[in-house]
Amino acid sequence: MASFKITGDRRLKGEIVPQGAKNEALQIICAVLLTKEPVTIHNIPNIRDVNQLINLLGDLGVRRTRLSETSIRFEADDINLDYLESDSFRQKAAALRGSVMLLGPMLARFRKGRIPRPGGDKIGRRRLDTHFLGFEKLGATFSYDEEDGGFYRVDAANLKGTYMLLDEASVTGTANVLMAAVMAEGTTTIYNAACEPYLQQLCKMLNRMGAKISGIASNLLVVEGVTELRGTEHTMLPDMIEIGSFIGLAAMTQSEITIKDCQIPQLGIIPDVFQRLGIKMEFRGDDIFIPAQEHYRIENYLDGSTLSVADAPWPGFTPDLLSIILVTATQAQGTVLVHQKMFESRLFFVDKLIEMGAQIILCDPHRATVIGHNRETQLRGIRMTSPDIRAGVALLIAALSARGVSIIDNIEQIDRGYQNIDTRLNAIGAEIVRL
């Protein structure tokens, strides 16, 4: 288990370029299984989860040619379906939650699939019902066998288009069902579909491959099934979660940072929410400039009541940034209620922030009230453990702003979602040592 040793209370200054979007990458890379022809993907983030998925595709027989540090050409013309029965597949797929999105392309192209119960962040219950209910609507049948190593087996010999109302606007569920539907017979209508930029990107890529998807950017997708798809080229968006993390980092450490190439129109309300915490920013073309701020003040509602920041399906605020909002508020002037609606365990890292000196009341598993210090009291360095990707980076931001030295253990969790984060932050003035 690796650790970060962070010397805090340093002001950073400079430019930083966000990596390619992790959540988009997991969908886009699975989609290469839909065609025999080459698919070239650019702006791939060099992070643990994405690399594990790419290696898993290689084990399935997908040929990979690295064209540059961030670009790979994939060729899935000779897939070894027998590998799905192996212990190696079970172990590797179970360790990666994104592996569940292999099912949609497998069902579309090969009419069958097999996947173990996936892993991922321990942030509460993350059910797969949306995926399987959608597949069932398309005519697939599935079974779960605990004695068979905990595998889901899915048979999709007769995929047919249909109308479906998803039980929740799940991003991965929508992506998975969509990839199965593009080669189903007839027309599929998906209502209550997720419409995040990741999904919009996937839809546009699939259409370039020959799919017929309409309603992109809405929660009502209509898919006319086709018999085959062709190759394409695709460039991924910058990671909006990393962009939000850098905004919070700049505010907490009183740093002057320029975040480059943000594709600002794709960020939705993310900049607005940070501005409601009082953080100043300037949009310079597609760059976001964060000036060094000694103080930032949380807005109240018009009636004077306490601001509440809650997650919601797009175009609402993404749940992946609530951890960053929470830690950033600890040094603001004012109070904010952070309401994590989707995952019941994602706020359980706040005990470490309280140990560092933050004023936080954990109301219940979903809500925490943060009373900002307004710089009157500085956080202090401690030893702590990263429980998941987003909480890990929130703790890293706290440590960078704190007085003294902090140690963060289990940084493999951070590496799952943030590319060379220590090297990139050290380049603009941080002092992070990987142990």
Side-chain angles (χ1 to χ4, degrees), residues 269-270 273 276-277 301 306-323 325-326 336-343 347 366-368:
I269 65 170
I270 289 172
V273 174
R276 298 203 75 176
L277 294 188
Y301 289 116
T306 298
L307 178 69
S308 175
V309 178
D311 55 341
W314 191 269
F317 192 66
T318 173
D320 283 343
L321 279 174
L322 280 183
S323 301
I325 289 291
L326 191 149
V336 63
L337 174 67
V338 176
H339 190 174
Q340 169 61 267
K341 296 179 180 178
M342 296 188 186
F343 305 111
L347 297 181
H366 291 275
R367 297 178 301 159

Side-chain angles (χ1 to χ4, degrees), residues 151-372:
F151 268 98
Y152 292 101
R153 290 182 177 272
V154 189
D155 176 73
N158 298 296
L159 279 187
K160 291 187 177 180
T162 186
Y163 170 87
M164 66 180 76
L165 174 62
L166 299 186
D167 65 328
E168 64 174 351
S170 162
V171 176
T172 56
T174 302
N176 223 351
V177 173
L178 178 68
M179 287 188 283
V182 292
M183 294 173 70
E185 179 185 341
T187 300
T188 300
T189 302
I190 306 174
Y191 197 25
N192 195 30
C195 56
E196 273 80 351
Y198 317 129
L199 256 301
Q200 297 175 38
Q201 286 281 95
L202 176 64
C203 289
K204 292 172 184 176
M205 173 184 169
L206 293 174
N207 278 350
R208 288 196 305 273
M209 295 171 72
K212 296 179 179 179
I213 305 168
S214 59
I216 298 172
S218 78
N219 68 347
L220 181 63
L221 297 175
V222 179
V223 186
E224 295 179 39
V226 298
T227 56
E228 63 179 4
L229 297 178
R230 56 182 178 268
T232 190
E233 193 166 345
H234 180 82
T235 300
M236 289 191 288
L237 293 172
D239 195 307
M240 67 172 74
I241 312 304
E242 215 183 45
I243 292 168
S245 301
F246 293 150
I247 293 172
L249 168 67
M252 277 288 283
T253 59
Q254 304 177 65
S255 299
E256 180 182 301
I257 294 176
T258 299
I259 310 169
K260 302 291 290 183
D261 305 325
C262 294
Q263 295 207 26
I264 295 168
Q266 301 294 331
L267 296 178
I269 65 170
I270 289 172
D272 299 330
V273 174
F274 281 99
Q275 286 172 327
R276 298 203 75 176
L277 294 188
I279 300 170
K280 295 186 176 72
M281 61 185 75
E282 299 174 18
F283 300 145
R284 298 177 175 178
D286 232 6
D287 302 342
I288 300 178
F289 172 74
I290 315 292
Q293 288 180 249
E294 185 175 352
H295 299 283
Y296 47 100
R297 181 176 182 177
I298 300 170
E299 293 181 5
N300 290 331
Y301 289 116
L302 292 176
D303 63 0
S305 58
T306 298
L307 178 69
S308 175
V309 178
D311 55 341
W314 191 269
F317 192 66
T318 173
D320 283 343
L321 279 174
L322 280 183
S323 301
I324 309 301
I325 289 291
L326 191 149
V327 73
T328 304
T330 63
Q331 285 298 351
Q333 179 184 352
T335 300
V336 63
L337 174 67
V338 176
H339 190 174
Q340 169 61 267
K341 296 179 180 178
M342 296 188 186
F343 305 111
E344 65 266 24
S345 304
R346 218 168 198 173
L347 297 181
F348 286 171
F349 73 100
V350 300
D351 59 329
K352 300 303 179 186
L353 296 178
I354 293 169
E355 189 178 343
M356 296 177 81
Q359 295 185 99
I360 303 171
I361 301 168
L362 185 60
C363 308
D364 55 47
H366 291 275
R367 297 178 301 159
T369 300
V370 186
I371 302 97

Side-chain angles (χ1 to χ4, degrees), residues 16-23 43-47 50 236-243 246 260-261 390 414-421 424:
I16 193 160
V17 179
Q19 67 190 27
K22 168 187 178 282
N23 291 339
N43 201 27
I44 299 174
N46 180 20
I47 55 178
V50 170
M236 289 191 288
L237 293 172
D239 195 307
M240 67 172 74
I241 312 304
E242 215 183 45
I243 292 168
F246 293 150
K260 302 291 290 183
D261 305 325
R390 309 307 175 187
I414 298 174
D415 289 336
R416 286 180 49 219
Y418 291 81
Q419 173 179 307
N420 304 323
I421 191 68
R424 295 158 69 205

Side-chain angles (χ1 to χ4, degrees), residues 33-89:
L33 287 172
L34 286 165
T35 179
K36 296 179 179 180
E37 297 184 13
V39 176
T40 301
I41 303 176
H42 304 289
N43 201 27
I44 299 174
N46 180 20
I47 55 178
R48 183 181 294 262
D49 274 14
V50 170
N51 292 337
Q52 285 181 334
L53 181 59
I54 291 171
N55 291 336
L56 188 58
L57 286 176
D59 293 336
L60 276 166
V62 179
R63 296 199 307 278
R64 301 149 296 158
T65 305
R66 186 165 288 279
L67 307 176
S68 71
E69 187 177 342
T70 59
S71 299
I72 299 176
R73 182 174 64 244
F74 298 87
E75 295 176 79
D77 57 334
D78 187 18
I79 298 301
N80 177 19
L81 294 177
D82 290 339
Y83 180 69
L84 300 177
E85 306 293 330
S86 68
D87 287 339
S88 172
F89 176 72

